[in-house]
Amino acid sequence: AQSVTQPDIHITVSEGASLELRCNYSYGATPYLFWYVQSPGQGLQLLLKYFSGDTLVQGIKGFEAEFKRSQSSFNLRKPSVHWSDAAEYFCAVALNTGTASKLTFGTGTRLQVTL
Amino acid sequence: NAGVTQTPKFQVLKTGQSMTLQCAQDMNHEYMSWYRQDPGMGLRLIHYSVGAGITDQGEVPNGYNVSRSTTEDFPLRLLSAAPSQTSVYFCASSYPGQPQHFGDGTRLSIL
């Protein structure tokens, strides 16, 4: 069965600092990969997705992620964090685009931003 | 656009009671899903549907029923609530092959 690991439960960064959130997946083939963000009391908002093609994908709010097949990773990055980025971030995978309704999520990374 | 609408937003039940969590989307999405979110466990798929009249089980289906009689609605039923079903429930929808859009969730407590 596919699985997703987000090794960092909680990360604290200073406003203006760079950010990298880690995501590793376990699956025999290349899955379809997503990053979602959840603000307190809210639903999940899609930041970016990778289906195929260029392994560096750009998302909303200045986020990007890089797919590395050799490392089974899909890490999320942002060059300069804003206080409004404080939230919980989830990496998710799907077997293929046809099953994008069947997502497997990581356990999430809570980001705290200090001023 | 309303997007994905979940009702109620909060609910408290007693063990053994039944209830239905409602989910409606106005984007004509074929795919709809239900997830539960528990601390430290991320979101886990309960049931999903790829179109009206078609449903299937996800990772944690026990204790839940679903039906999909229309494209717009995908209710989740708890027939006999248990404390282990205390959670936050999210409904999501999408076009085939596209990322899911999530509702704001229903926070359910079972005493």
Side-chain angles (χ1 to χ4, degrees), chain B residues 18-74:
Chain B
S18 62
M19 82 160 294
T20 299
L21 308 185
Q22 301 291 344
C23 176
Q25 53 90 8
D26 61 358
M27 298 172 281
N28 202 33
H29 287 165
E30 294 178 45
Y31 287 6
M32 297 187 74
S33 306
W34 276 103
Y35 297 85
R36 60 177 289 174
Q37 182 178 26
D38 301 294
M41 302 188 72
L43 283 78
R44 293 179 292 168
L45 182 66
I46 304 172
H47 286 284
Y48 67 100
S49 169
V50 298
I54 305 170
T55 64
D56 205 349
Q57 296 180 350
E59 180 185 355
V60 288
N62 292 342
Y64 307 95
N65 283 345
V66 292
S67 59
R68 184 97 179 269
S69 55
T70 68
T71 298
E72 295 77 19
D73 301 299
F74 190 43

Side-chain angles (χ1 to χ4, degrees), chain A residues 44-102:
Chain A
L44 279 74
Q45 181 182 22
L46 179 71
L47 286 175
L48 46 78
K49 65 181 186 291
Y50 173 77
F51 284 174
S52 65
D54 192 345
T55 57
L56 183 64
V57 294
Q58 302 297 319
I60 62 171
K61 305 185 180 186
F63 286 93
E64 66 178 25
E66 186 172 13
F67 168 61
K68 292 186 177 180
R69 185 190 306 273
S70 61
Q71 299 178 17
S72 297
S73 69
F74 189 56
N75 294 349
L76 181 71
R77 301 194 294 245
K78 187 169 185 178
S80 178
V81 170
H82 188 264
W83 64 265
S84 62
D85 293 324
E88 188 152 23
Y89 292 79
F90 291 95
C91 182
V93 304
L95 290 176
N96 56 55
T97 57
T99 60
S101 61
K102 296 176 62 178

